[in-house]
Amino acid sequence: MADRGPAPDAPVAGDPLVGDLRRAGLLPLLVLHYLALEDCYGNQLMDRIAALTGGALAVNPNTMYPLLRHLEAQGLAEGSWEHPERRSKRYYRITDAGRAEHRRLRAELGPRLDRIAGSIDAIRREVLE
């Protein structure tokens, strides 16, 4: 049987959401974005990112929780336990420094996201309409 490659909706190594854009700070941008909206916990953030990207940007606990600890260490987010007397959900909220970083990442990544979206729209118009 011939290899048909990855499933049509599976992310591939060259996918801009998985590769270059992710390295450029897309994941911290998304996390800070959601924290700017409301306090969130790690699994909630993973679910929101997966839903937003249709699974194109898969985030697992081995990525999310170190990122959240890093954001805390950098003073960009603060975490607190839902029930401090025992380990429970740890909710994170954005700090003022986190809001500034969120603005910086938006300004830096916005043009790249616009360029990718424009390219995808052009391709769709050319081959699908």
Side-chain angles (χ1 to χ4, degrees):
M1 181 180 255
D3 178 17
R4 298 183 192 274
D9 59 349
V12 294
D15 188 321
L17 292 179
V18 177
D20 181 53
L21 210 58
R22 186 171 182 152
R23 286 187 298 277
L26 181 61
L27 190 53
L29 172 62
L30 290 170
V31 168
L32 291 171
H33 165 74
Y34 285 121
L35 294 182
L37 298 175
E38 66 178 329
D39 296 358
C40 297
Y41 56 94
N43 283 340
Q44 185 179 30
L45 291 163
M46 289 185 289
D47 290 346
R48 287 182 178 182
I49 291 167
L52 175 69
T53 65
L57 181 57
V59 183
N60 64 48
N62 293 329
T63 300
M64 179 57 68
Y65 291 103
L67 173 59
L68 288 168
R69 286 191 296 274
H70 176 75
L71 293 175
E72 269 193 291
Q74 297 297 311
L76 305 177
E78 294 176 344
S80 59
W81 294 106
E82 180 179 36
H83 302 287
E85 66 281 356
R86 61 182 164 83
R87 286 189 72 132
S88 55
K89 290 179 186 169
R90 187 164 177 82
Y91 281 86
Y92 295 86
R93 70 178 165 279
I94 196 166
T95 63
D96 289 341
R99 289 182 193 287
E101 177 66 0
H102 179 239
R103 286 190 299 273
R104 186 192 72 76
L105 286 169
R106 284 181 57 184
E108 184 177 309
L109 293 177
R112 294 170 92 169
L113 290 169
D114 290 343
R115 192 169 49 252
I116 290 168
S119 296
I120 290 170
D121 286 345
I123 292 167
R124 289 182 62 80
R125 282 192 306 275
E126 180 70 24
V127 300
L128 298 179
E129 293 179 1

